[in-house]
């Protein structure tokens, strides 16, 4: 929570003026019962219409000035709350983008979305309410008690007895409800996770006719959320009736006591009315304070959850890249491996067994490296270590002879083009998507990359060509079209290292073969890593890495591995005929 206090620094003035104008409004409000008492005791008693109109004018003036103060306070409070919410959301988004894959895997996407949306909105609303009411309500409560003492000490003792009882109720409910609101938010995360999984996997759900099962699962999660909300709502709902009972009981005692004092001539009728009005003001303000505390409880719970995300430190610590700039040339000699793994082990967070173990190999400039293995053998994990999406647990990964941990991330990833397993395109024109690889790419460079990726017919089939608008997630493109365009996007930047992580799985064999041929002919000295389940995709690579259960069980050419690696031979024979294997 302390981490979030820094956001108030830029809104010090608004954070002061908002409550200040609310206190001014409250001050004017406290004078209203006294003016009413004068109207009753003097104006009505003496039937002095001029006096009544004069005091009525004062009431109107107090109302107008109070309204002006209230609007001013609302303006400053809203400005501070919205400004802080905007900066908090921007910083949170920036921080999330600085996290490595490891932290994102641990926290979870649905949780991060909740923090960015629901939690930040709740904090913003809490700040607005706090600036407007947190000082005003207590000020009215204690101000009304002080004003009661100026009227009559004996009657004011009723206020002294009522206010502590009310405070016990209000703060008791707050301390009970705050932990429960945290549980509600955690359950909300679970509901969002279930919703997200169902929406992303909608086609799979329908294909297996599991709609009813998913509806039941969602219903169970939602019912749990409802039960928690109802339970905490019942506790919070106790506040209003209990406070009303206490206040109305105090008003009864006040009227009974005031009646005797009026009878004895100790106080006037107008003063009794003023005391009742002060007690009513206390009731209204305590109800506001009770609701405020509930909202503050929610906001504090959300703020703590947001602070938890800020507390997540990225495991990818970016150094200043000095070792690369001072210790190595930007384009080293051809004898230096473009990529090298040295006795490398890698564990995922919380895993007891390594995903990759004792991996050592070197890839030279211009080589095409094929990577093959069974499902879960560690193929994607291996290539994700090159652009440093994860850090090696043991050993080292080197690019151009320098440990990737010694690079500035911008420099390292500027050398690498990555085509992930899941083709991801963004809403916007086709040209804009291609420029993700190179911001100042010309149409000629884009078309060259598109030709290499065998995506020319995709562009030409669209009426607007490069100006064709891609919908969110590329919904208006087929799987094969998206894969080819993501490959083209990576090729636009002309990277020194190209990583194709099973990125041609949706392509037919003819297009896949044409793509591999075009990449080989047009990439020159580019080092290409091709991850694939297909033996035909990688059989012509300069070197093939065979992974099995996280271990490198074979390395060599297609023919060498057929003789020396049983795992590779089994993969080839399961996919190809003996004649195709022998070619």
């Amino acid at each position: 929570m302390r981490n979030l206090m820094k956001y108030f620094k830029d809104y010090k003035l608004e954070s002061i003026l908002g409550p200040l104008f609310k206190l001014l409004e409250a001050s004017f409000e406290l004078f209203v019962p006294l003016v009413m008492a004068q109207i009753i005791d003097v104006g009505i008693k003496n039937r002095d219409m001029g006096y009544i109109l004069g005091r009525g004018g004062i009431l109107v003036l107090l109302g107008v000035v109070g309204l002006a103060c209230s609007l001013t306070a609302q303006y400053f409070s809203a400005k501070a709350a919205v400004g802080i919410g905007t900066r908090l959301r921007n910083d949170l988004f920036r921080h999330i983008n600085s996290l490595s894959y490891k932290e994102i895997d641990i926290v979870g996407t649905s949780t991060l979305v909740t923090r960015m949306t629901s939690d930040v909105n709740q904090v913003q609303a809490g700040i607005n309410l706090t600036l407007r009411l947190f000082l005003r309500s207590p000020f009215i409560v204690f101000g009304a008690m002080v004003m009661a003492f100026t009227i009559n000490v004996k009657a004011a003792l009723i206020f002294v007895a009522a206010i502590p009882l009310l405070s016990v109720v209000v703060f008791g409910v707050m301390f009970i409800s705050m932990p429960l609101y945290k549980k509600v938010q955690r359950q909300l995360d679970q509901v969002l996770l279930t919703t997200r999984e169902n929406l992303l996997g909608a086609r799979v759900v329908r294909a297996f006719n599991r709609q009813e099962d998913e509806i039941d699962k969602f219903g169970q999660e939602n019912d749990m959320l409802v039960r928690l909300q109802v339970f905490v709502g019942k506790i919070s709902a106790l506040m209003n009736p209990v406070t009303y009972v206490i206040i109305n009981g105090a008003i009864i005692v006040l009227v009974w006591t005031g009646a005797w004092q009026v009878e004895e001539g100790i106080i006037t009728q107008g003063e009794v009315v003023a005391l009742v009005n002060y007690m009513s003001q206390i009731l209204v303000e305590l109800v506001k304070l009770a609701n405020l505390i509930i909202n503050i409880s929610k906001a504090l719970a959300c703020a703590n959850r947001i602070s938890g995300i800020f507390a997540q430190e990225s495991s990818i610590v970016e150094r200043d890249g000095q070792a690369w700039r001072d210790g190595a040339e930007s384009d080293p000699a051809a004898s230096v491996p473009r990529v090298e793994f040295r006795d490398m082990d890698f564990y995922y967070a919380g895993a007891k067994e390594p995903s990759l173990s004792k991996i050592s190999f070197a890839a030279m400039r211009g080589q095409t490296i094929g990577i093959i293995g069974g499902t879960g053998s560690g193929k994607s994990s291996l290539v994700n270590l090159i652009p440093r999406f994860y850090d090696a647990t043991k050993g080292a990964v080197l690019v151009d002879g320098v440990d990737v941990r010694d690079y500035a991330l911008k420099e390292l990833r500027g050398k690498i083009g990555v085509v992930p397993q899941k083709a991801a395109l963004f809403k916007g024109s086709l040209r804009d998507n291609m420029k993700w690889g190179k911001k100042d790419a010309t149409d000629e460079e884009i078309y060259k990359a598109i030709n290499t990726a065998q995506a020319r017919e995709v562009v030409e089939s669209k009426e607007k060509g490069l100006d064709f608008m891609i919908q969110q997630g590329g919904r208006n493109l087929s799987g094969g079209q998206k894969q080819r365009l993501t490959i083209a996007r990576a090729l636009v930047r002309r990277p020194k290292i190209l990583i194709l992580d099973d990125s041609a799985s949706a392509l037919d064999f003819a297009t896949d073969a044409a793509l591999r041929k075009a990449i080989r002919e047009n990439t020159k000295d580019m080092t290409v890593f091709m991850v694939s389940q297909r033996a035909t995709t990688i059989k012509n690579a300069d070197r093939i890495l065979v992974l099995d259960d996280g271990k490198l069980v074979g390395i060599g050419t297609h023919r060498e591995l057929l003789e020396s690696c049983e795992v590779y031979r089994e993969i080839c024979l399961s996919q190809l005929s003996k004649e195709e294997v022998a070619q």
Side-chain angles (χ1 to χ4, degrees):
M1 181 61 192
R2 292 180 181 177
N3 296 334
L4 304 185
M5 294 304 295
K6 64 182 181 180
Y7 291 98
F8 284 89
K9 291 181 180 179
D10 296 327
Y11 294 93
K12 288 180 180 178
L13 182 63
E14 289 82 357
S15 299
I16 294 171
L17 291 178
L20 178 61
F21 276 97
K22 270 295 177 182
L23 291 181
L24 287 174
E25 179 206 353
S27 299
F28 293 125
E29 192 171 325
L30 288 173
F31 285 112
V32 171
L34 292 181
V35 177
M36 285 298 302
Q38 292 175 348
I39 291 174
I40 293 170
D41 291 337
V42 180
I44 295 177
K45 181 179 179 180
N46 299 325
R47 298 184 180 181
D48 187 344
M49 187 58 66
Y51 187 87
I52 294 173
L53 292 176
R55 288 297 181 268
I58 293 175
L59 289 177
V60 172
L61 180 62
L62 289 173
V64 171
V65 175
L67 177 62
C69 291
S70 178
L71 293 175
T72 305
Q74 177 63 58
Y75 168 77
F76 286 119
S77 299
K79 184 178 179 181
V82 173
I84 291 170
T86 300
R87 296 195 178 193
L88 178 59
R89 196 177 288 107
N90 288 338
D91 286 353
L92 185 59
F93 185 78
R94 188 179 298 109
H95 181 74
I96 290 172
N97 274 281
S98 73
L99 298 177
S100 69
Y101 283 17
K102 176 182 176 181
E103 287 74 45
I104 294 174
D105 291 342
I106 292 172
V107 177
T109 305
S110 60
T111 298
L112 294 175
V113 171
T114 306
R115 301 296 183 273
M116 279 288 300
T117 53
S118 174
D119 286 354
V120 173
N121 288 340
Q122 194 70 57
V123 169
Q124 182 175 308
I127 291 171
N128 194 351
L129 289 171
T130 300
L131 292 177
R132 289 193 294 115
L133 299 176
F134 190 69
L135 292 179
R136 182 190 188 281
S137 293
F139 181 80
I140 289 281
V141 171
F142 290 103
M145 185 175 69
V146 171
M147 298 299 283
F149 270 100
T150 64
I151 295 173
N152 183 269
V153 175
K154 186 176 180 180
L157 292 176
I158 300 170
F159 288 74
V160 176
I163 289 174
L165 286 174
L166 292 166
S167 300
V168 169
V169 173
V170 169
F171 288 101
V173 170
M174 181 186 72
F175 285 120
I176 294 172
S177 62
M178 277 187 67
L180 294 174
Y181 279 119
K182 292 179 181 179
K183 289 185 179 180
V184 169
Q185 288 298 120
R186 284 196 293 269
Q187 185 60 29
L188 178 61
D189 280 348
Q190 191 60 41
V191 171
L192 289 173
L193 175 61
T194 303
T195 304
R196 182 175 181 275
E197 286 182 341
N198 193 271
L199 293 176
L200 290 177
R203 295 184 180 183
V204 177
V205 172
R206 285 165 174 74
F208 285 90
N209 197 27
R210 295 293 297 271
Q211 294 97 316
E212 292 300 324
D213 294 332
E214 289 300 312
I215 290 170
D216 290 341
K217 179 182 177 182
F218 179 82
Q220 291 172 8
E221 298 289 354
N222 199 37
D223 287 345
M224 177 65 73
L225 176 63
V226 170
R227 284 196 295 271
L228 286 171
Q229 287 178 322
V230 169
F231 180 64
V232 70
K234 286 179 179 178
I235 293 175
S236 299
L238 287 174
M239 190 177 295
N240 282 4
V242 173
T243 53
Y244 271 99
V245 168
I246 295 172
I247 287 292
N248 287 323
I251 289 175
I252 291 170
V253 175
L254 182 62
V255 172
W256 182 77
T257 304
W260 281 106
Q261 290 181 323
V262 169
E263 184 71 24
E264 295 174 3
I266 299 173
I267 61 175
T268 65
Q269 294 173 333
E271 288 173 336
V272 173
V273 172
L275 288 171
V276 172
N277 283 338
Y278 281 128
M279 189 64 77
S280 299
Q281 282 184 347
I282 291 175
L283 172 62
V284 171
E285 292 305 322
L286 282 173
V287 170
K288 288 182 182 178
L289 184 61
N291 292 326
L292 172 64
I293 289 173
I294 292 172
N295 283 286
I296 289 177
S297 300
K298 292 179 181 179
L300 287 173
C302 293
N304 288 328
R305 285 149 54 86
I306 293 171
S307 293
I309 301 299
F310 279 119
Q312 286 280 348
E313 297 289 341
S314 176
S315 59
I316 305 298
V317 180
E318 183 174 7
R319 301 175 187 175
D320 61 4
Q322 197 64 39
W324 172 71
R325 286 192 287 272
D326 293 344
E329 297 177 359
S330 59
D331 193 13
S335 59
V336 177
R338 182 69 83 187
V339 177
E340 184 179 2
F341 281 66
R342 292 181 182 173
D343 196 25
M344 192 279 305
D345 290 354
F346 171 66
Y347 289 75
Y348 280 106
K352 296 181 179 179
E353 297 295 328
S355 297
L356 294 167
S357 177
K358 300 187 182 303
I359 305 294
S360 295
F361 72 91
M364 306 305 292
R365 181 184 307 183
Q367 282 190 329
T368 297
I369 308 297
I371 304 175
I372 196 169
T375 301
S377 59
K379 303 184 295 297
S380 294
S381 300
L382 179 71
V383 293
N384 280 335
L385 292 165
I386 300 172
R388 207 184 170 198
F389 294 148
Y390 296 95
D391 267 342
T393 307
K394 180 184 175 184
V397 180
L398 291 82
V399 171
D400 287 336
V402 178
D403 193 319
V404 293
R405 288 169 288 199
D406 291 328
Y407 277 98
L409 289 177
K410 183 177 180 181
E411 301 291 347
L412 173 65
R413 292 172 184 172
K415 294 184 173 204
I416 303 169
V418 179
V419 185
Q421 276 184 320
K422 185 178 180 180
L425 294 171
F426 298 89
K427 185 177 181 180
S429 70
L430 200 156
R431 180 184 284 103
D432 290 339
N433 272 271
M434 292 300 103
K435 286 188 176 183
W436 273 64
K438 184 180 178 183
K439 290 183 179 179
D440 58 349
T442 64
D443 285 1
E444 182 181 352
E445 290 174 314
I446 292 173
Y447 273 114
K448 185 176 181 181
I450 286 172
N451 289 335
T452 302
Q454 308 302 300
R456 184 72 182 228
E457 59 89 11
V458 177
V459 179
E460 291 179 347
S461 66
K462 310 300 179 185
E463 291 183 4
K464 296 183 179 180
L466 292 179
D467 293 319
F468 170 71
M469 294 302 295
I470 295 174
Q471 295 179 7
Q472 184 181 7
R475 291 196 302 265
N476 53 342
L477 296 169
S478 69
Q481 289 174 333
K482 285 192 287 186
Q483 283 193 337
R484 282 177 282 171
L485 289 175
T486 52
I487 293 170
R489 180 178 60 193
L491 289 170
V492 165
R493 74 191 312 173
R494 301 295 298 171
K496 294 181 178 180
I497 302 167
L498 177 65
I499 298 173
L500 304 173
D501 187 3
D502 202 13
S503 54
S505 57
L507 304 184
D508 59 77
F509 286 99
T511 305
D512 186 16
L515 172 64
R516 284 184 278 113
K517 181 181 178 182
I519 289 176
R520 178 177 288 275
E521 292 175 351
N522 298 323
T523 53
K524 295 183 180 179
D525 62 348
M526 188 185 298
T527 301
V528 181
F529 287 85
M530 301 183 72
V531 176
S532 182
Q533 302 280 4
R534 296 177 180 175
T536 53
T537 300
I538 53 91
K539 64 180 290 191
N540 294 320
D542 298 311
R543 298 182 80 192
I544 300 171
L545 309 180
V546 184
L547 294 174
D548 184 40
D549 197 23
K551 295 181 175 61
L552 186 59
V553 296
I555 182 169
T557 63
H558 172 68
R559 293 189 178 280
E560 291 171 348
L561 290 171
L562 283 176
E563 297 177 2
S564 63
C565 182
E566 182 179 351
V567 174
Y568 182 75
R569 188 164 53 251
E570 288 178 357
I571 292 173
C572 289
L573 290 174
S574 67
Q575 297 180 12
L576 307 171
S577 64
K578 292 184 178 180
E579 292 75 14
E580 290 174 321
V581 170
Q583 288 179 357

